[in-house]
Amino acid sequence: MPMIMSILQFGCGNMGGAMLKGWLAGGFAPQSFTIVDPYLETAPAGVRLLGAAPEGEGAFEVVLLGFKPQQLPDAARAIAPSIGPQTLLLSILAGVDIATLRSHFPLARAIVRVMPNLAAALGKSPIALVGDADEAARAQSDALMAPLGQAEWLSDEDQMDLVTALAGSGPAFVYRFIDALAQGAAELGLPRDQADRLALSMVEGAAMLAAGSDHAPAELARRVASPGGVTQVGIDVLDADDRLVSLMTDTLRGARDRSAEMTRQAQAKT
């Protein structure tokens, strides 16, 4: 694992906070982190918290951008002194491409866009990476992502919009699916609170089994279902006219297109 001595994190909201929690749980020293967030009242023990960018400290080894994308043009000037030729710049700014980041921070050794989700706090996030980075910077990025979940490097930055929809927005879609299962059970006769508990527990167990299995999810579904049995009847309803696949495709398409629109808007402002 590459030696990481200084990590500067601009913004520590929901996603930035989840990443920080995952790093600390994964064994990173709290003293390695400096957080710049004027709205954050407290930080974990040992983590330095500032209300504004540090002055006179020079460049950090790793800088994470974790604020709202529209704040970049105004924030870049304050951030720039913390980025030098040895800095790995990580960005979770949705819609802000590598070229835009490079235009603001030309001195950065490497720039990597990162798309995690809130499960980073548990070390269970899918993480998409794409960047202007050499082999050493990729290795350093992999080491940073290891405590947060499963990292995947993309071959093309244009794929980031789709991955944003799948891995970034995906948890919300899963939550809606859990809610729909419980609501359906409630409409068919179960008390709603009981339906909520059963649906959540079922999805938790199914996800853990799928994560630990050598079989693809489609094969796992086939193994659960018996021809003409209870499960198969339900699967037949889901599969009729490819309705489930069509619904998920339309869902991801809508989220992907919105991400692409945000990218265009960010580029127009810089």
Side-chain angles (χ1 to χ4, degrees):
M1 177 177 179
M3 183 66 68
I4 299 168
M5 299 298 294
S6 58
I7 303 172
L8 179 60
Q9 184 171 331
F10 284 92
C12 194
N14 290 335
M15 192 64 253
M19 295 176 74
L20 177 61
K21 185 174 181 180
W23 278 324
L24 295 177
F28 281 74
Q31 294 76 15
S32 297
F33 294 91
T34 297
I35 305 297
V36 178
D37 193 320
Y39 305 106
L40 194 65
E41 296 182 357
T42 61
V47 174
R48 183 169 64 148
L49 176 61
L50 303 176
E55 296 183 3
E57 297 190 19
F60 284 68
E61 291 183 54
V62 178
V63 172
L64 171 67
L65 306 183
F67 44 82
K68 294 181 180 179
Q70 60 268 30
Q71 295 175 325
L72 177 61
D74 293 333
R77 185 173 300 177
I79 295 170
S82 299
I83 297 176
Q86 78 274 27
T87 302
L88 168 62
L89 178 63
L90 304 176
S91 171
I92 59 172
L93 307 186
V96 180
D97 62 4
I98 294 167
T100 298
L101 293 167
R102 179 61 73 182
S103 70
H104 285 292
F105 308 110
L107 295 181
R109 174 172 66 94
I111 297 176
V112 176
R113 290 181 64 188
V114 183
M115 176 50 63
N117 66 37
L118 294 177
L122 306 175
K124 296 295 184 180
S125 174
I127 306 166
L129 303 170
V130 67
D132 171 15
D134 59 17
E135 185 175 344
R138 283 185 171 229
Q140 188 179 24
S141 300
D142 286 338
L144 280 162
M145 297 304 116
L148 308 183
Q150 176 64 46
E152 299 279 349
W153 285 90
L154 305 182
S155 60
D156 190 328
E157 189 177 11
D158 288 342
Q159 295 173 327
M160 186 60 87
D161 293 319
L162 179 54
V163 174
T164 297
L166 175 61
S169 301
F173 308 149
V174 173
Y175 301 150
R176 288 299 298 270
F177 176 71
I178 297 171
D179 181 70
L181 280 172
Q183 184 173 331
E187 290 181 359
L188 292 173
L190 275 182
R192 181 57 199 259
D193 59 341
Q194 191 172 54
D196 285 337
R197 292 192 298 271
L198 288 169
L200 181 59
S201 179
M202 180 277 297
V203 171
E204 179 184 21
M208 292 178 66
L209 286 171
S213 175
D214 294 330
H215 300 292
E219 173 61 15
L220 291 176
R222 187 192 69 78
R223 287 171 176 246
V224 172
S226 300
V230 173
T231 305
Q232 188 59 55
V233 170
I235 288 177
D236 289 343
V237 174
L238 290 175
D239 290 346
D241 300 321
D242 289 327
R243 66 177 73 181
L244 183 59
V245 173
S246 295
L247 175 61
M248 289 297 97
T249 301
D250 290 344
T251 299
L252 292 173
R253 181 184 294 110
R256 179 204 63 185
D257 292 350
R258 174 55 180 154
S259 179
E261 181 183 22
M262 290 174 64
T263 299
R264 293 190 294 270
Q265 291 171 346
Q267 290 171 340
K269 293 178 180 178
T270 57

